[in-house]
Short mmCIF file of all heavy atoms in Angstrom, two decimals:
data_model
loop_
_atom_site.label_atom_id
_atom_site.label_comp_id
_atom_site.label_asym_id
_atom_site.label_seq_id
_atom_site.Cartn_x
_atom_site.Cartn_y
_atom_site.Cartn_z
N GLY A 1033 27.17 13.79 20.41
CA GLY A 1033 26.27 14.90 20.16
C GLY A 1033 26.91 16.26 20.05
O GLY A 1033 26.24 17.24 19.77
N ARG A 1034 28.22 16.35 20.32
CA ARG A 1034 28.90 17.64 20.23
C ARG A 1034 29.75 17.68 18.98
O ARG A 1034 30.35 16.70 18.59
CB ARG A 1034 29.81 17.85 21.44
CG ARG A 1034 29.08 18.05 22.73
CD ARG A 1034 30.03 18.40 23.83
NE ARG A 1034 31.36 17.87 23.56
CZ ARG A 1034 32.24 17.55 24.47
NH1 ARG A 1034 31.94 17.68 25.73
NH2 ARG A 1034 33.43 17.07 24.16
N LEU A 1035 29.80 18.85 18.38
CA LEU A 1035 30.63 19.04 17.20
C LEU A 1035 31.90 19.76 17.60
O LEU A 1035 31.87 20.78 18.27
CB LEU A 1035 29.90 19.85 16.14
CG LEU A 1035 28.67 19.22 15.50
CD1 LEU A 1035 28.06 20.17 14.48
CD2 LEU A 1035 29.00 17.90 14.85
N GLY A 1036 33.03 19.22 17.16
CA GLY A 1036 34.31 19.88 17.39
C GLY A 1036 34.53 20.97 16.36
O GLY A 1036 33.70 21.18 15.47
N PRO A 1037 35.66 21.67 16.43
CA PRO A 1037 35.93 22.77 15.49
C PRO A 1037 35.95 22.30 14.03
O PRO A 1037 35.41 22.97 13.16
CB PRO A 1037 37.30 23.29 15.90
CG PRO A 1037 37.54 22.76 17.27
CD PRO A 1037 36.70 21.55 17.44
N PHE A 1038 36.57 21.14 13.77
CA PHE A 1038 36.61 20.65 12.39
C PHE A 1038 35.22 20.27 11.91
O PHE A 1038 34.86 20.55 10.77
CB PHE A 1038 37.55 19.45 12.25
CG PHE A 1038 37.54 18.89 10.86
CD1 PHE A 1038 38.22 19.56 9.84
CD2 PHE A 1038 36.85 17.74 10.54
CE1 PHE A 1038 38.21 19.06 8.54
CE2 PHE A 1038 36.82 17.25 9.25
CZ PHE A 1038 37.51 17.92 8.24
N GLU A 1039 34.44 19.63 12.76
CA GLU A 1039 33.09 19.22 12.37
C GLU A 1039 32.21 20.43 12.08
O GLU A 1039 31.41 20.42 11.15
CB GLU A 1039 32.45 18.35 13.46
CG GLU A 1039 33.05 16.96 13.55
CD GLU A 1039 34.37 16.91 14.28
OE1 GLU A 1039 34.72 17.90 14.99
OE2 GLU A 1039 35.08 15.90 14.15
N LYS A 1040 32.38 21.50 12.88
CA LYS A 1040 31.63 22.73 12.62
C LYS A 1040 32.04 23.34 11.29
O LYS A 1040 31.19 23.77 10.51
CB LYS A 1040 31.85 23.74 13.75
CG LYS A 1040 31.17 23.37 15.04
CD LYS A 1040 31.47 24.38 16.13
CE LYS A 1040 30.87 23.95 17.45
NZ LYS A 1040 31.22 24.86 18.55
N LEU A 1041 33.36 23.37 11.04
CA LEU A 1041 33.86 23.90 9.77
C LEU A 1041 33.36 23.04 8.61
O LEU A 1041 32.92 23.57 7.58
CB LEU A 1041 35.38 23.95 9.77
CG LEU A 1041 36.03 24.40 8.46
CD1 LEU A 1041 35.67 25.85 8.16
CD2 LEU A 1041 37.53 24.21 8.53
N ALA A 1042 33.41 21.72 8.78
CA ALA A 1042 32.95 20.83 7.72
C ALA A 1042 31.46 21.03 7.44
O ALA A 1042 31.03 21.01 6.29
CB ALA A 1042 33.23 19.38 8.09
N GLU A 1043 30.68 21.25 8.50
CA GLU A 1043 29.24 21.48 8.32
C GLU A 1043 28.98 22.80 7.59
O GLU A 1043 28.16 22.86 6.68
CB GLU A 1043 28.55 21.47 9.69
CG GLU A 1043 27.05 21.46 9.62
CD GLU A 1043 26.49 20.17 9.05
OE1 GLU A 1043 27.09 19.11 9.21
OE2 GLU A 1043 25.40 20.24 8.44
N LEU A 1044 29.68 23.85 7.98
CA LEU A 1044 29.53 25.14 7.29
C LEU A 1044 29.96 25.03 5.83
O LEU A 1044 29.28 25.53 4.93
CB LEU A 1044 30.35 26.22 8.00
CG LEU A 1044 29.82 26.72 9.33
CD1 LEU A 1044 30.84 27.64 9.99
CD2 LEU A 1044 28.51 27.46 9.12
N ALA A 1045 31.09 24.36 5.61
CA ALA A 1045 31.59 24.21 4.24
C ALA A 1045 30.63 23.36 3.42
O ALA A 1045 30.41 23.64 2.23
CB ALA A 1045 32.98 23.59 4.25
N SER A 1046 30.06 22.34 4.03
CA SER A 1046 29.09 21.50 3.33
C SER A 1046 27.86 22.31 2.94
O SER A 1046 27.34 22.16 1.82
CB SER A 1046 28.69 20.32 4.22
OG SER A 1046 27.77 19.50 3.56
N ASN A 1047 27.40 23.16 3.85
CA ASN A 1047 26.25 24.01 3.53
C ASN A 1047 26.60 24.99 2.40
O ASN A 1047 25.79 25.22 1.51
CB ASN A 1047 25.80 24.78 4.77
CG ASN A 1047 25.18 23.87 5.80
OD1 ASN A 1047 24.74 22.77 5.50
ND2 ASN A 1047 25.18 24.31 7.04
N PHE A 1048 27.82 25.55 2.45
CA PHE A 1048 28.22 26.49 1.41
C PHE A 1048 28.37 25.80 0.05
O PHE A 1048 27.93 26.32 -0.98
CB PHE A 1048 29.53 27.19 1.77
CG PHE A 1048 30.09 28.03 0.66
CD1 PHE A 1048 29.43 29.19 0.25
CD2 PHE A 1048 31.24 27.65 -0.01
CE1 PHE A 1048 29.93 29.95 -0.79
CE2 PHE A 1048 31.74 28.41 -1.05
CZ PHE A 1048 31.09 29.56 -1.45
N THR A 1049 28.98 24.62 0.05
CA THR A 1049 29.22 23.94 -1.22
C THR A 1049 27.94 23.42 -1.86
O THR A 1049 27.95 23.08 -3.04
CB THR A 1049 30.22 22.78 -1.07
OG1 THR A 1049 29.75 21.88 -0.06
CG2 THR A 1049 31.60 23.30 -0.71
N SER A 1050 26.86 23.35 -1.11
CA SER A 1050 25.59 22.95 -1.70
C SER A 1050 24.74 24.16 -2.09
O SER A 1050 23.58 24.01 -2.47
CB SER A 1050 24.82 22.05 -0.74
OG SER A 1050 24.51 22.75 0.44
N SER A 1051 25.33 25.35 -2.03
CA SER A 1051 24.59 26.57 -2.35
C SER A 1051 24.74 26.94 -3.83
O SER A 1051 25.69 26.52 -4.49
CB SER A 1051 25.09 27.74 -1.49
OG SER A 1051 26.39 28.12 -1.91
N PRO A 1052 23.81 27.73 -4.34
CA PRO A 1052 23.92 28.21 -5.72
C PRO A 1052 25.17 29.06 -5.94
O PRO A 1052 25.77 29.01 -7.03
CB PRO A 1052 22.66 29.05 -5.92
CG PRO A 1052 21.69 28.56 -4.90
CD PRO A 1052 22.52 28.11 -3.74
N ALA A 1053 25.60 29.79 -4.92
CA ALA A 1053 26.80 30.64 -5.07
C ALA A 1053 28.03 29.79 -5.38
O ALA A 1053 28.85 30.16 -6.23
CB ALA A 1053 27.02 31.45 -3.80
N PHE A 1054 28.16 28.66 -4.72
CA PHE A 1054 29.31 27.79 -4.98
C PHE A 1054 29.21 27.17 -6.37
O PHE A 1054 30.23 27.02 -7.06
CB PHE A 1054 29.43 26.71 -3.92
CG PHE A 1054 30.65 25.85 -4.09
CD1 PHE A 1054 31.90 26.35 -3.77
CD2 PHE A 1054 30.55 24.57 -4.59
CE1 PHE A 1054 33.04 25.57 -3.95
CE2 PHE A 1054 31.68 23.79 -4.76
CZ PHE A 1054 32.92 24.29 -4.43
N SER A 1055 28.01 26.83 -6.79
CA SER A 1055 27.83 26.29 -8.14
C SER A 1055 28.26 27.31 -9.19
O SER A 1055 28.94 26.96 -10.17
CB SER A 1055 26.38 25.88 -8.37
OG SER A 1055 26.03 24.83 -7.51
N VAL A 1056 27.89 28.56 -8.97
CA VAL A 1056 28.30 29.63 -9.90
C VAL A 1056 29.82 29.77 -9.89
O VAL A 1056 30.44 29.90 -10.95
CB VAL A 1056 27.60 30.96 -9.53
CG1 VAL A 1056 28.20 32.13 -10.28
CG2 VAL A 1056 26.11 30.86 -9.79
N PHE A 1057 30.42 29.72 -8.71
CA PHE A 1057 31.88 29.80 -8.60
C PHE A 1057 32.55 28.68 -9.40
O PHE A 1057 33.51 28.93 -10.14
CB PHE A 1057 32.30 29.73 -7.13
CG PHE A 1057 33.78 29.53 -6.93
CD1 PHE A 1057 34.67 30.57 -7.15
CD2 PHE A 1057 34.28 28.29 -6.56
CE1 PHE A 1057 36.03 30.39 -6.99
CE2 PHE A 1057 35.64 28.10 -6.40
CZ PHE A 1057 36.52 29.15 -6.61
N CYS A 1058 32.04 27.46 -9.28
CA CYS A 1058 32.62 26.33 -10.02
C CYS A 1058 32.47 26.49 -11.52
O CYS A 1058 33.40 26.21 -12.28
CB CYS A 1058 31.98 25.03 -9.56
SG CYS A 1058 32.50 24.53 -7.90
N VAL A 1059 31.30 26.96 -11.95
CA VAL A 1059 31.09 27.18 -13.39
C VAL A 1059 32.04 28.25 -13.90
O VAL A 1059 32.64 28.11 -14.97
CB VAL A 1059 29.61 27.56 -13.67
CG1 VAL A 1059 29.42 28.08 -15.08
CG2 VAL A 1059 28.71 26.35 -13.41
N LEU A 1060 32.22 29.32 -13.12
CA LEU A 1060 33.15 30.37 -13.53
C LEU A 1060 34.59 29.87 -13.56
O LEU A 1060 35.36 30.25 -14.46
CB LEU A 1060 33.03 31.57 -12.59
CG LEU A 1060 31.73 32.37 -12.68
CD1 LEU A 1060 31.69 33.46 -11.61
CD2 LEU A 1060 31.55 32.96 -14.07
N LEU A 1061 34.96 29.04 -12.63
CA LEU A 1061 36.31 28.48 -12.61
C LEU A 1061 36.56 27.60 -13.83
O LEU A 1061 37.60 27.71 -14.49
CB LEU A 1061 36.52 27.67 -11.33
CG LEU A 1061 37.92 27.14 -11.06
CD1 LEU A 1061 38.93 28.30 -10.99
CD2 LEU A 1061 37.94 26.36 -9.77
N VAL A 1062 35.60 26.76 -14.17
CA VAL A 1062 35.73 25.93 -15.38
C VAL A 1062 35.74 26.79 -16.63
O VAL A 1062 36.53 26.56 -17.56
CB VAL A 1062 34.60 24.87 -15.43
CG1 VAL A 1062 34.59 24.15 -16.77
CG2 VAL A 1062 34.75 23.88 -14.29
N ALA A 1063 34.89 27.82 -16.66
CA ALA A 1063 34.86 28.72 -17.81
C ALA A 1063 36.20 29.44 -17.96
O ALA A 1063 36.71 29.58 -19.08
CB ALA A 1063 33.73 29.73 -17.66
N ALA A 1064 36.79 29.87 -16.87
CA ALA A 1064 38.09 30.53 -16.93
C ALA A 1064 39.15 29.57 -17.44
O ALA A 1064 40.02 29.96 -18.24
CB ALA A 1064 38.49 31.05 -15.54
N PHE A 1065 39.08 28.32 -17.06
CA PHE A 1065 40.02 27.30 -17.54
C PHE A 1065 39.88 27.12 -19.06
O PHE A 1065 40.87 27.08 -19.79
CB PHE A 1065 39.76 25.99 -16.81
CG PHE A 1065 40.67 24.88 -17.20
CD1 PHE A 1065 41.99 24.86 -16.77
CD2 PHE A 1065 40.22 23.83 -17.99
CE1 PHE A 1065 42.84 23.83 -17.12
CE2 PHE A 1065 41.06 22.80 -18.34
CZ PHE A 1065 42.38 22.79 -17.91
N VAL A 1066 38.64 27.03 -19.51
CA VAL A 1066 38.38 26.85 -20.95
C VAL A 1066 38.84 28.09 -21.72
O VAL A 1066 39.48 27.98 -22.78
CB VAL A 1066 36.89 26.55 -21.20
CG1 VAL A 1066 36.55 26.61 -22.68
CG2 VAL A 1066 36.53 25.19 -20.62
N VAL A 1067 38.52 29.27 -21.22
CA VAL A 1067 38.93 30.51 -21.90
C VAL A 1067 40.45 30.61 -21.96
O VAL A 1067 41.01 31.03 -22.99
CB VAL A 1067 38.32 31.74 -21.17
CG1 VAL A 1067 38.96 33.04 -21.65
CG2 VAL A 1067 36.81 31.78 -21.40
N ALA A 1068 41.13 30.21 -20.89
CA ALA A 1068 42.59 30.26 -20.89
C ALA A 1068 43.17 29.36 -21.98
O ALA A 1068 44.15 29.72 -22.64
CB ALA A 1068 43.13 29.84 -19.53
N HIS A 1069 42.53 28.23 -22.22
CA HIS A 1069 42.99 27.34 -23.29
C HIS A 1069 42.65 27.88 -24.66
O HIS A 1069 43.49 27.87 -25.57
CB HIS A 1069 42.39 25.94 -23.12
CG HIS A 1069 43.15 25.08 -22.17
ND1 HIS A 1069 44.38 24.57 -22.44
CD2 HIS A 1069 42.83 24.64 -20.92
CE1 HIS A 1069 44.81 23.86 -21.42
NE2 HIS A 1069 43.87 23.89 -20.48
N LEU A 1070 41.41 28.34 -24.82
CA LEU A 1070 40.98 28.83 -26.13
C LEU A 1070 41.69 30.11 -26.53
O LEU A 1070 41.94 30.34 -27.72
CB LEU A 1070 39.47 29.05 -26.14
CG LEU A 1070 38.61 27.78 -26.03
CD1 LEU A 1070 37.13 28.15 -25.98
CD2 LEU A 1070 38.89 26.81 -27.18
N ALA A 1071 42.02 30.94 -25.57
CA ALA A 1071 42.70 32.20 -25.86
C ALA A 1071 44.22 32.02 -25.97
O ALA A 1071 44.94 32.98 -26.21
CB ALA A 1071 42.38 33.23 -24.77
#
């Protein structure tokens, strides 16, 4: 029933990665990759 430091970090990161902000970050990262190739 107790969460260690890694489990707490994993839970926070899991919450962040399921957020719209992270989705936007991923789309921007892929867009930057595509732009780097096209340019």
Side-chain angles (χ1 to χ4, degrees):
R1034 291 187 334 208
L1035 294 179
F1038 177 76
E1039 287 79 15
K1040 288 178 185 176
L1041 176 65
E1043 190 68 30
L1044 287 172
S1046 180
N1047 291 339
F1048 172 68
T1049 56
S1050 63
S1051 71
F1054 184 74
S1055 296
V1056 169
F1057 169 74
C1058 288
V1059 168
L1060 291 175
L1061 187 59
V1062 171
F1065 181 75
V1066 170
V1067 167
H1069 276 289
L1070 292 177

